[in-house]
Amino acid sequence: MATSAEGFDTVIVVDFGAQYAQLIARRVRECRVFSEIVPSSMPVTDMLAKRPKAIILSGGPSSVYAAGAPLVDPSLFAAGVPTFGICYGHQVMAQALGGEVRKTGLSEYGATQLAVTGNGGTLLAGLPASQQVWMSHGDAVFTAPPGFTATAMTAGSPVAAFEDVARGFAGVQFHPEVLHTDHGLAVLQHFLYDIAGCRPTWTMVNIVEEQVDRIRLQVGDKRAICGLSGGVDSAVAAALVQRAIGDRLTCVFVDHGLLRKGEAEQVERDFVASTGVRLKVVDAAEKFLAALAGVSDPEEKRKIIGREFIRVFEAAAREVVGEIAATGETVDFLVQGTLYPDVVESGGGEGAANIKSHHNVGGLPDDLQFALVEPLRTLFKDEVRRVGEQLGLPAEIVWRQPFPGPGLGIRIVGAVTRDRLEVLREADAIAREELSAAGLDRDIWQCPVVLLADVRSVGVQGDGRTYGHPVVLRPVSSEDAMTADWTRLPYDVLARISTRITNEVPEINRVTLDVTSKPPGTIEWE
């Protein structure tokens, strides 16, 4: 399935290797305009074949005058499509159209004061004469191309913004897509609406209607199966397909015994109640525990969990296929909750999906031939949540924190046992309850609780020494999990979590806080 959206204005984000390319696409969508990321190596004819309403040239790590630096085919600027350059894209545009780009001698990284010159033109119209922007450059545009008007400058960037509204061209040296740029979203809106003439019609209602129509067209009168993990991605994908084809969808939920407290029951109860979907539940906890017995190496645990999941899902899928075959029908489609970042990061975006190994049903055997249905393939995580709300899914499912496929198996540092799982479930449940009670659920990306099962720490409880396990709280804030920072939770919330865990979970006598960002750390410990 292609990643374009029929019936909506589309903005192409040309990726020059920017760390923020996905963020640019997200911000464009926040302006209610559909966006799609393409590599800078894509021929201009292929870009134009997508019939974009506008094109955005992203930042990148290169210097435009360096040998081998990715450049833009000049025919792009002759195509009559409004184009906006950001950082490196700003410099590429300037150089291609006759401006001057060179090293500044004064690199700018991070928060920088921008001075608007004149009336700010169209791009900076109505914005403060002095404002904070986010910079990341050592080169700069020193002379704007013929026909362009320079509209802003900084200490290290003589032409920090320029525009040629008559031709639909504009560029900025700073990054309007990051939150550290005070008026970045307004700058993007000025380009999209006032220069490019994009219509803000990309809404959740339209997304649901469009995807339901696509699913009906793809599946027709056939049947589909979906591996339901309990997470928001598979839940929303299943709900969309169920909306489109009704009881011709069968969901398989594999309970591997590594879920958080109450999650299996919630899937069986709340998801079915809100969607009416046909659900087959497989209780495989004993099988997974047996396979994990005595294994402490995190990579080995991941492999075992992935392998066992495939085996269990395969068996369940065969049962479903067999039951349906008895009626004279076949199951021809497999539903997956693939998101747009998965597509971009795996080099996809067009044609067949590249099923990533972290997806629950990746690696199915060759004799299970299904065509893929991926209704979330064009969406980012925040958009998936809004679609879930539009479909009427419970908030507990829609706003559930991201949870790794291997579950609590990789939040136990050490071997996985039934007792250790129960200890971690209780501690994790307390942390989630207190975060919810404090109204912080949507302020953090997730808060893994890690059990250091192979570590004992001395403590004092009830006037006696204890040798219990420590747990680690890992609250993080992120937009896409590619980078993350630890969340500065209020001290009183941390205190309540610590007090409750050490009081209510006898095996734990110490609660610690992980204050590492990503990078250098990762969100999960294993």
Side-chain angles (χ1 to χ4, degrees):
M1 185 183 294
T3 53
S4 60
E6 299 174 4
F8 300 98
D9 288 342
T10 295
V11 172
I12 288 177
V13 177
V14 181
D15 183 7
F16 288 97
Q19 61 176 319
Y20 296 135
Q22 288 194 28
L23 188 53
I24 294 171
R26 289 169 59 93
R27 294 291 180 251
V28 171
R29 294 184 183 198
E30 287 178 21
C31 297
R32 296 172 59 194
V33 180
F34 181 75
S35 60
E36 179 180 350
I37 301 171
V38 302
S40 61
S41 58
M42 176 179 281
V44 169
T45 52
D46 291 350
M47 295 183 192
L48 298 179
K50 295 176 177 292
R51 302 176 64 186
K53 185 71 172 179
I55 294 171
I56 295 179
L57 309 177
S58 84
S62 304
S63 292
V64 294
Y65 47 76
L71 301 176
V72 173
D73 184 335
S75 65
L76 179 68
F77 298 112
V81 180
T83 304
F84 183 40
I86 294 175
C87 193
Y88 181 80
H90 171 66
Q91 296 168 14
V92 163
M93 177 184 289
Q95 183 185 65
L97 295 175
E100 180 191 10
V101 180
R102 55 186 169 90
K103 189 168 288 295
T104 66
L106 178 62
S107 298
E108 292 176 315
Y109 295 96
T112 305
Q113 283 302 120
L114 180 81
V116 176
T117 58
N119 64 3
T122 301
L123 201 62
L124 303 173
L127 302 183
S130 178
Q131 54 190 283
Q132 177 182 287
V133 297
W134 193 257
M135 289 283 200
S136 181
H137 71 103
D139 301 333
V141 177
F142 276 73
T143 305
F148 280 72
T149 301
T151 58
M153 62 182 295
T154 68
S157 185
V159 182
F162 59 39
E163 61 186 51
D164 181 348
V165 177
R167 287 192 287 172
F169 295 153
V172 294
Q173 182 60 62
F174 56 90
H175 288 273
E177 71 274 19
V178 303
L179 295 176
H180 307 290
T181 294
D182 288 344
H183 303 281
L185 196 61
V187 172
L188 279 173
Q189 289 172 334
H190 288 170
F191 170 72
L192 294 170
Y193 304 156
D194 303 329
I195 296 178
C198 294
R199 299 166 298 166
T201 56
W202 174 250
T203 67
M204 292 306 108
V205 173
N206 289 335
I207 291 171
V208 171
E209 292 174 348
E210 178 203 15
Q211 289 302 327
V212 166
D213 288 343
R214 283 191 174 201
I215 294 163
R216 286 173 177 160
L217 183 64
Q218 181 185 7
V219 177
D221 59 357
K222 305 296 184 182
R223 289 183 173 270
I225 189 172
C226 177
L228 197 64
S229 69
V232 62
D233 300 342
S234 64
V236 173
L240 266 173
V241 175
Q242 198 275 339
R243 173 75 63 91
I245 67 173
D247 62 5
R248 286 183 286 116
L249 170 68
T250 301
C251 288
V252 174
F253 173 54
V254 176
D255 182 1
H256 51 28
L258 306 172
L259 296 172
R260 292 172 290 192
K261 185 176 181 179
E263 285 188 322
E265 296 81 3
Q266 187 179 69
V267 170
E268 294 184 51
R269 181 187 66 244
D270 297 344
F271 184 74
V272 172
S274 61
T275 63
V277 75
R278 295 171 54 161
L279 181 65
K280 179 180 181 67
V281 179
V282 182
D283 184 354
E286 294 300 326
K287 182 183 291 291
F288 279 82
L289 274 174
L292 288 167
V295 178
S296 296
D297 180 74
E299 188 59 28
E300 186 64 20
K301 286 193 286 187
R302 284 180 178 272
K303 289 178 179 177
I304 289 171
I305 295 167
R307 182 189 69 223
E308 292 302 317
F309 191 98
I310 290 169
R311 289 175 176 172
V312 174
F313 183 85
E314 172 191 350
R318 289 188 188 281
E319 288 181 14
V320 171
V321 170
E323 292 166 2
I324 290 174
T327 68
E329 297 183 271
T330 59
V331 179
D332 298 292
F333 295 92
L334 174 67
V335 180
Q336 286 213 145
T338 309
L339 304 191
Y340 193 44
D342 301 330
V343 175
V344 174
E345 290 165 15
S346 60
E350 297 292 329
N354 181 347
I355 307 175
K356 299 178 72 176
S357 61
H358 66 262
H359 283 184
N360 284 339
V361 292
L364 290 174
D366 292 337
D367 58 351
L368 276 177
Q369 295 292 338
F370 297 119
L372 290 181
V373 179
E374 297 176 303
L376 311 181
R377 189 175 167 80
T378 62
L379 304 181
F380 288 98
K381 190 78 164 189
D382 56 326
E383 294 171 322
V384 171
R385 295 191 194 280
R386 294 202 296 274
V387 168
E389 290 181 321
Q390 187 68 35
L391 290 168
L393 292 180
E396 292 78 12
I397 291 178
V398 171
W399 290 99
R400 175 173 293 160
Q401 295 178 5
F403 192 57
L408 298 180
I410 58 167
R411 291 184 178 175
I412 294 175
V413 178
V416 178
T417 68
R418 189 190 319 277
D419 290 343
R420 289 175 173 183
L421 283 168
E422 288 307 313
V423 168
L424 182 53
R425 276 197 191 94
E426 292 303 319
D428 175 85
I430 290 170
R432 288 188 289 136
E433 286 172 11
E434 290 299 332
L435 291 174
S436 296
L440 296 171
D441 279 345
R442 302 189 188 185
D443 293 336
I444 64 172
W445 175 261
Q446 58 176 307
C447 183
V449 178
V450 181
L451 175 65
L452 304 184
D454 287 345
V455 176
R456 291 279 186 172
S457 67
V458 67
V460 178
Q461 291 172 303
D463 296 326
R465 282 181 175 271
T466 62
Y467 292 93
H469 297 291
V471 292
V472 182
L473 303 181
R474 177 70 168 131
V476 294
S477 299
S478 179
E479 288 194 289
D480 52 21
M482 296 179 70
T483 60
D485 194 14
W486 66 280
T487 306
R488 278 65 169 173
L489 294 178
Y491 287 161
D492 60 331
V493 175
L494 288 171
R496 285 197 298 273
I497 293 173
S498 177
T499 298
R500 283 195 59 194
I501 288 177
T502 53
N503 283 350
E504 298 175 29
V505 187
E507 297 85 353
I508 296 172
N509 66 356
R510 195 177 297 270
V511 176
T512 65
L513 180 66
D514 184 345
V515 295
T516 313
S517 62
K518 176 188 178 182
T522 56
I523 293 177
E524 299 291 345
W525 271 48
E526 293 200 338

